[in-house]
Amino acid sequence: NAGVTQTPKFQVLKTGQSMTLQCAQDMNHNSMYWYRQDPGMGLRLIYYSASEGTTDKGEVPNGYNVSRLNKREFSLRLESAAPSQTSVYFCASSPGLAGVNHEQFFGPGTRLTVL
Amino acid sequence: AQSVTQLDSQVPVFEEAPVELRCNYSSSVSVYLFWYVQYPNQGLQLLLKYLSGSTLVKGINGFEAEFNKSQTSFHLRKPSVHISDTAEYFCAVFTGGGNKLTFGTGTQLKVEL
C-alpha cells in the first residue's frame, strides 16, 4: 500500500513553460485534492475532486487546471508557469467529503521553482 | 466562512518539557477539527482528530488535544516532548457546508536539548 504518490519530487521551470504534476492513490478513495504550501500561509486548496468525473475550484485556482483521469489519478497542470507559482504542491485524498470520511491522506509533495 | 488561527508561528521548548500549541477557529456550525504534523521535507500526517463525543482527544506520539466549544479552541498538548517532535504542526477545521478543510498557518515546534 503506497498511499498517495506524487511525481516529480522536484522541478525547475522557466517562466512560461508548462508542466503537469501527477498524483495517484491506491486507497480506493473517492475524493482528491491539490494544495499549495507557502511560508507563513499554511496550505491553500487549489482544486478538488469530490468523486471521479467531477472537479471544483478551491481557494486559489487561477493559473491551474486539473484532470481527474480515473478514480486513482488526479493531475494538476500549469499551462504557463509564473514565478508566483513557486511553491510546494501537495496532493491528498479522502474516502469522501462528509464528516468522518473527510480524513485526508497526503502525498510527499512536489517542490516547484519557477525562474 | 470558517477560519483557523494559530497564534504562535514558532515555539521553542527544551526536551522533556511540556508544550501547548494553540489553535482557535471561527465557525457558526458544527465542526470537525484536526491536527496534522509535517516533519522536514515530508508530507502531512494526521496526528489526531475531533469528530464528536469526548472533548479530550488522544493522538499518536503522546499528543492530545481538547475541544472547547465555548472558547472555540482546539489546543494541542504533550506533557513531555522529545527531540523527534521537532516539526511543523497544522490545525485544520472542516465544516460540511464548505466541503473543504481549512488549515491554519502552522506552528513550528523546535525541541532543544
Side-chain angles (χ1 to χ4, degrees):
Chain A
N1 233 0
V4 180
T5 57
Q6 291 182 237
T7 55
K9 290 187 177 180
F10 301 94
Q11 183 70 50
V12 178
L13 294 177
K14 294 181 180 178
T15 296
Q17 288 185 316
S18 62
M19 79 160 296
T20 300
L21 281 63
Q22 306 287 353
C23 173
Q25 52 91 9
D26 61 2
M27 296 175 282
N28 200 34
H29 286 171
N30 289 312
S31 304
M32 297 184 74
Y33 315 82
W34 276 105
Y35 293 91
R36 59 177 290 172
Q37 182 182 28
D38 302 291
M41 303 192 75
L43 275 77
R44 294 181 291 169
L45 184 65
I46 304 171
Y47 271 94
Y48 69 100
S49 169
S51 60
E52 186 179 355
T54 69
T55 60
D56 285 286
K57 294 178 180 179
E59 188 181 351
V60 288
N62 291 342
Y64 305 95
N65 284 300
V66 290
S67 295
R68 184 74 183 266
L69 304 170
N70 47 55
K71 191 171 186 179
R72 289 187 63 251
E73 298 171 291
F74 188 39
S75 63
L76 178 71
R77 183 161 179 83
L78 287 70
E79 291 289 353
S80 179
S84 61
Q85 294 178 304
T86 293
S87 187
V88 181
Y89 291 85
F90 288 100
C91 178
S93 71
S94 67
L97 282 182
V100 298
N101 286 325
H102 197 76
E103 178 181 334
Q104 293 188 14
F105 296 80
F106 285 80
T110 295
R111 283 155 179 79
L112 176 66
T113 301
V114 183
L115 303 174
Chain B
Q2 63 207 42
S3 68
V4 180
T5 302
Q6 293 182 248
L7 289 172
D8 306 305
S9 59
Q10 294 186 32
V11 174
V13 63
F14 288 109
E15 193 173 33
E16 297 184 6
V19 70
E20 177 179 86
L21 306 183
R22 297 181 292 169
C23 173
N24 288 88
Y25 67 93
S26 65
S27 175
S28 59
V29 298
S30 296
V31 295
Y32 302 107
L33 295 157
F34 304 81
W35 275 100
Y36 282 85
V37 59
Q38 184 180 30
Y39 298 105
N41 299 314
Q42 294 187 26
L44 279 71
Q45 302 174 35
L46 183 68
L47 203 55
L48 49 80
K49 60 188 175 185
Y50 171 79
L51 303 178
S52 65
S54 173
T55 57
L56 183 63
V57 180
K58 294 190 183 296
I60 61 172
N61 300 339
F63 283 93
E64 63 181 31
E66 186 158 17
F67 171 57
N68 188 318
K69 188 175 182 179
S70 63
Q71 297 189 6
T72 60
S73 68
F74 190 55
H75 300 333
L76 181 70
R77 302 185 185 101
K78 186 170 183 177
S80 176
V81 295
H82 189 266
I83 286 284
S84 59
D85 293 323
T86 294
E88 189 153 22
Y89 292 79
F90 292 93
C91 181
V93 60
F94 173 80
T95 58
N99 275 345
K100 71 182 185 77
L101 207 53
T102 299
F103 285 86
T105 53
T107 298
Q108 181 66 46
L109 175 65
K110 185 174 182 181
V111 181
E112 302 169 351
L113 292 171

